[in-house]
Amino acid sequence: MTVQNLIENTGWKMMSGSDTAEIASAYVCDLLSWVMAHAHEGAAWVTVQAHLNVVAIASLLNLACVIVPENIEIPAATLAVAQEKGICMISAPCTSYGAAMVL
């Protein structure tokens, strides 16, 4: 499934980046160091974290997208850097569990 398919099927809102990436897997975790050590390239990462370090990790691991649940506000500075680095940030109204179930 591509990020575009995910957005079309859920109605979630793409906040930055491109929707062309293929989602190879999913990873749900809020501990950034754990994500760096265990998430895999192409994963859709679900996290309540919405700061600049999330973008850095998503870029480092070449993740398909970052899904921020519960309509948590993503700061403009984070979205600007995500757009610059081509990181797809998605806002979802559901919980992390709900996002995981969809994935």
Side-chain angles (χ1 to χ4, degrees), residues 12 26 28 46 94-103:
W12 296 349
V28 182
V46 181
C94 57
T95 64
S96 293
Y97 176 78
M101 293 299 295
V102 167
L103 291 165

Side-chain angles (χ1 to χ4, degrees), residues 17-73:
S18 169
D19 64 359
T20 60
E22 187 73 27
I23 297 173
S25 63
Y27 204 80
V28 182
C29 186
D30 298 320
L31 185 59
L32 303 184
S33 59
W34 194 266
V35 173
M36 283 178 47
H38 295 93
H40 298 285
E41 182 175 341
W45 175 21
V46 181
T47 180
V48 298
Q49 304 287 343
H51 49 74
L52 290 172
N53 290 341
V54 169
V55 176
I57 292 168
S59 180
L60 176 71
L61 297 177
N62 197 27
L63 300 180
C65 61
V66 177
I67 301 166
V68 181
E70 300 188 39
N71 289 324
I72 294 168
E73 184 177 345

